[in-house]
């Protein structure tokens, strides 16, 4: 190891496959997960080059946690957040350290544990309605179906009801256009991003329309200040008594940024997580059968309700394991705001750091058979806060993690209660790497299921998984944070997903970190 008293970022090894002028942009664009996993042999840090600039990728769990906990020095920034800010401005998930504490205090009431049962009731209704809309033999565009589900649920929890059908259809299409463009725009040099290409015009139009939709909803709500018992009413009425500049409430511009943040995060990342969970169940039928048995036993022929959450233990572990294998925020960036030392390496102010949950979640020295889908790996213990980071950590930990987990568990339960899912075709399905690990293009076939008796259901739900098959869509083992309830205090964190997925009152994250 280089002498820690003199080591600088220049002494950190550079990743292979770099090209003159372009750096590692091409391998990152061609197969970003394979490129990220090719760096797993670096146990502390490695430098990655994007054109003339470079970033330091942090590969060590303890160092990653140090970065998360010290957000004053390692602030939100870098190419990912620069692109996300183009759409949602300085919302909670993208704002700088100087703005974050005030925004966190103002947004926290919207995710208070006492509000989760109400949100859960919405999620349960929307999930059962979606499951009932399908027919025997349907082949689902799973991601599109889950996006429709989470959009409806998000709209009702945010705005006390769904948007008109045409408005929602347009919002879905615009969101898909925006999200699919994030990663490529992140990798594209600034001067090329400004060229008026057809893709750029579609992106700009979608961004502007989505902003207009949210602005119209906010204007209507400002004109009618009645408490609608939804997330937007809580944001409108939130008061920050600790404000130092007299701005105790969110301005219209801030409210629009927060609404866009929660809308995009609550819709996209949860939909992607659900799609991956359904894919993993379809390709691991033994786990699917056990989950169906748990569902039959817990629901006992009744309607799904948020009160069932504490009993849906396997469903919670399935979601936890899905987030390990396919964390929506597969890569995050931070900007060093003042000269600092990390792991014995001196970092200059303005440096960019890269963090990858995907890399940590699939390291064989951290997880046994890391590419295998095994919900039962969480039976013996809770996720380690340094090695399991789908929602980030520290003061910028996703404020809506329990919001997202509650929705995912209830939706998963509603679907497997009614349907058996099987793959379409024999080809392994691989992620479409964007800012999130997208599941676009995933199709599954539905078969209406015959339910077990209550006794059989209890027995089968208790059976441990015997599958030794790896996750079918795993990238070669050679990798959101817009997808969030931490307290504003610098090191306060809520429970990890496996701890809290069956405890809806524990804390509350639909937003990229």
């Amino acid at each position: 190891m280089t002498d820690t008293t003199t080591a600088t970022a220049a002494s950190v090894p550079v990743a292979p496959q770099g090209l003159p002028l372009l750096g590692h942009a091409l391998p990152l664009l061609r197969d970003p997960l394979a490129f990220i996993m090719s760096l797993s042999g670096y146990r502390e840090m490695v430098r990655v080059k994007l054109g003339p600039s470079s970033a330091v990728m942090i590969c060590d769990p303890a160092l990653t946690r140090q970065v998360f906990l010290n957000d004053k020095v390692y602030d939100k920034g870098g190419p990912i957040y620069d692109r996300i800010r183009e759409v949602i401005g300085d919302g909670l998930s993208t704002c700088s350290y100087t703005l974050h504490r005030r925004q966190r205090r103002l947004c926290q009431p919207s995710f208070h544990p006492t509000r989760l049962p109400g949100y859960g009731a919405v999620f349960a209704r929307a999930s059962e309605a979606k499951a009932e809309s399908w027919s025997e033999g349907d082949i689902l565009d799973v991601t599109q179906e889950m996006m429709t589900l989470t959009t409806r649920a998000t709209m009702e929890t945010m705005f006390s009801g769904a948007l008109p059908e045409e408005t929602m259809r347009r919002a879905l299409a615009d969101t898909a256009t925006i999200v699919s463009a994030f990663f490529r725009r992140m990798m594209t040099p600034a001067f090329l991003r400004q060229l008026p290409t057809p893709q750029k015009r579609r992106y700009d139009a979608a961004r502007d329309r989505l902003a207009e939709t949210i602005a119209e909803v906010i204007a209507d709500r400002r004109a009618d200040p009645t408490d609608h018992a939804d997330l937007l009413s809580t944001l409108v009425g939130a008061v920050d008594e600790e404000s130092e500049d007299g701005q105790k409430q969110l301005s219209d511009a801030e409210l629009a940024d927060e609404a866009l943040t929660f809308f995009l995060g609550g819709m996209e990342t949860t939909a992607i997580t659900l799609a991956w969970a359904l894919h993993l169940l379809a390709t691991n039928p033994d786990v699917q059968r056990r989950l169906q048995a748990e569902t039959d036993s817990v629901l006992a022929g009744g309607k799904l309700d948020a009160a069932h959450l504490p009993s849906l233990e396997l469903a919670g572990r399935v979601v936890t394991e899905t987030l390990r294998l396919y964390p929506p925020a597969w890569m995050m960036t931070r900007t060093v705001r003042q000269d600092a030392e990390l792991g014995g390496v001196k970092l200059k102010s303005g440096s960019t750091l890269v963090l990858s949950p995907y890399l940590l979640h699939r390291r064989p020295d951290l997880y046994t058979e890391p590419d295998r889908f095994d919900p039962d790996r969480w039976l013996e213990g809770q996720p380690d806060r340094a090695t399991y980071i789908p929602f980030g950590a520290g003061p910028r930990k996703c404020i809506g993690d329990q919001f997202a987990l509650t929705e995912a568990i209830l939706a998963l339960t509603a679907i497997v209660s009614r349907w058996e899912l099987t793959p379409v075709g024999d080809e392994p399905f691989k992620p479409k790497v964007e800012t999130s690990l997208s599941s676009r293009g995933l199709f599954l076939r539905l078969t209406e299921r015959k339910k077990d008796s209550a006794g059989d259901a209890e027995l089968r739900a208790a059976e441990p998984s015997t599958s030794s098959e790896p996750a079918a869509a795993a990238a070669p083992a050679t990798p959101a944070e817009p997808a969030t309830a931490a307290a504003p205090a610098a090191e306060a964190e809520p429970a990890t997903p496996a701890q809290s997925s069956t405890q809806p009152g524990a804390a509350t994250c639909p937003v990229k970190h």
Side-chain angles (χ1 to χ4, degrees):
M1 177 75 182
T2 306
D3 183 355
T4 57
T5 62
T6 58
T8 65
S11 67
V12 175
V14 178
Q17 304 181 46
L19 296 173
L21 301 179
L22 295 176
H24 299 97
L26 283 182
L28 270 168
L29 284 170
R30 286 173 178 163
D31 195 341
L33 300 186
F35 176 74
I36 290 296
M37 289 309 298
S38 73
L39 307 179
S40 62
Y42 297 93
R43 287 296 185 251
E44 293 187 351
M45 304 180 189
V46 61
R47 274 192 297 154
V48 177
K49 293 189 174 183
L50 296 177
S53 61
S54 67
V56 175
M57 184 164 182
I58 310 301
C59 305
D60 177 71
L63 296 181
T64 297
R65 185 163 176 79
Q66 285 185 43
V67 172
F68 279 138
L69 292 179
N70 191 354
D71 64 324
K72 183 176 182 179
V73 173
Y74 308 110
D75 200 2
K76 286 290 185 76
I80 290 179
Y81 295 102
D82 291 343
R83 301 290 74 75
I84 297 176
R85 285 191 188 101
E86 294 175 352
V87 178
I88 63 175
D90 278 321
L92 184 64
S93 68
T94 55
C95 68
S96 66
Y97 171 84
T98 56
L99 301 174
H100 176 256
R101 296 299 188 268
R102 172 179 175 272
Q103 290 195 26
R104 188 83 183 202
R105 291 192 296 268
L106 285 164
C107 293
Q108 196 72 46
S110 298
F111 297 95
H112 192 276
T114 58
R115 303 188 72 87
L116 273 178
Y119 296 154
V122 172
F123 300 152
R125 286 197 306 271
S127 300
E128 289 205 317
K130 172 57 69 176
E132 290 169 3
S133 72
W134 300 326
S135 300
E136 169 74 18
D138 279 354
I139 294 178
L140 299 183
D141 181 336
V142 180
T143 306
Q144 183 66 24
E145 290 293 312
M146 294 302 98
M147 288 279 277
T148 304
L149 165 59
T150 58
T151 298
R152 290 185 187 278
T154 300
M155 283 298 171
E156 186 169 349
T157 54
M158 287 187 68
F159 307 130
S160 296
L163 290 175
E165 194 65 32
E166 175 57 27
T167 303
M168 192 175 75
R169 184 199 62 75
R170 187 176 68 240
L172 270 171
D174 289 340
T175 300
T177 299
I178 291 166
V179 169
S180 64
F182 272 146
F183 185 67
R184 186 164 292 276
R185 287 180 62 78
M186 183 179 77
M187 293 293 137
T188 303
F191 74 95
L192 291 177
R193 286 199 302 270
Q194 302 307 313
L195 295 178
T197 63
Q199 294 87 346
K200 170 73 160 51
R201 289 195 292 271
R202 283 196 296 272
Y203 171 82
D204 288 343
R207 181 187 60 186
D208 293 344
R209 276 195 305 267
L210 188 58
E212 288 170 7
T213 298
I214 298 297
E216 288 171 7
V217 174
I218 290 173
D220 290 344
R221 184 58 58 84
R222 288 289 199 194
D224 175 19
T226 305
D227 186 354
H228 294 261
D230 57 16
L231 192 149
L232 185 57
S233 287
T234 311
L235 287 174
V236 170
V239 177
D240 176 21
E241 298 294 350
E242 299 179 41
S243 175
E244 298 178 354
D245 56 8
Q247 295 182 0
K248 294 189 175 183
Q249 292 187 283
L250 293 168
S251 67
D252 283 355
E254 290 173 327
L255 194 57
D257 288 350
E258 303 302 356
L260 272 170
T261 294
F262 296 134
F263 172 71
L264 284 173
M267 181 179 69
E268 189 227 359
T269 55
T270 307
I272 289 172
T273 298
L274 273 169
W276 283 122
L278 294 173
H279 166 71
L280 289 166
L281 291 173
T283 52
N284 291 271
D286 58 326
V287 179
Q288 183 174 184
R289 285 191 294 270
R290 290 175 57 213
L291 186 57
Q292 289 166 343
E294 175 183 88
T295 299
D296 295 347
S297 176
V298 172
L299 298 188
K303 282 282 189 181
L304 177 65
D305 187 87
H308 291 123
L309 278 168
S311 301
L312 297 172
E313 297 178 0
L314 178 56
R317 297 199 305 275
V318 167
V319 173
T320 297
E321 180 71 344
T322 300
L323 286 167
R324 183 187 70 82
L325 285 167
Y326 300 107
W330 65 282
M331 184 169 70
M332 312 169 190
T333 56
R334 293 292 189 267
T335 296
V336 182
R337 294 303 184 193
Q338 61 191 58
D339 290 353
E341 184 176 309
L342 182 68
V345 175
K346 294 180 180 179
L347 301 170
K348 291 184 178 180
S349 175
S351 301
T352 297
L353 304 183
V354 179
L355 315 171
S356 177
Y358 190 99
L359 174 63
L360 292 186
H361 290 183
R362 289 182 180 255
R363 270 180 42 175
D365 60 321
L366 302 178
Y367 289 96
T368 302
E369 296 184 86
D371 292 334
R372 184 164 73 96
F373 174 60
D374 179 16
D376 290 339
R377 73 173 71 240
W378 307 110
L379 276 171
E380 299 302 322
Q382 305 298 341
D384 183 277
R385 290 186 173 187
T387 62
Y388 183 86
I389 51 171
F391 296 115
R396 301 301 291 257
K397 189 175 190 285
C398 184
I399 196 174
D401 55 354
Q402 295 306 299
F403 182 101
L405 291 167
T406 297
E407 183 174 11
I409 292 168
L410 291 172
L412 202 61
T413 301
I415 293 167
V416 301
S417 173
R418 190 179 185 101
W419 300 104
E420 182 173 339
L421 302 108
T422 52
V424 176
D426 299 324
E427 288 297 317
F429 183 80
K430 294 184 178 181
K432 309 297 187 292
V433 182
E434 298 166 352
T435 309
S436 297
L437 275 189
S438 176
S439 52
R440 284 187 303 108
L442 171 63
F443 290 87
L444 295 176
R445 180 178 284 105
L446 293 179
T447 303
E448 193 160 8
R449 44 179 304 257
K450 296 178 176 62
K451 298 186 180 180
D452 294 327
S453 67
D456 290 341
E458 290 177 4
L459 287 171
R460 287 175 56 188
E463 293 174 359
S465 173
T466 57
S467 172
S468 60
E469 293 299 314
T478 57
E481 163 183 276
T484 37
E491 294 193 15
E493 289 185 58
T496 56
Q499 290 172 309
S500 56
S501 61
T502 57
Q503 301 172 4
T508 63
C509 173
V511 188
K512 292 189 191 296
H513 322 295

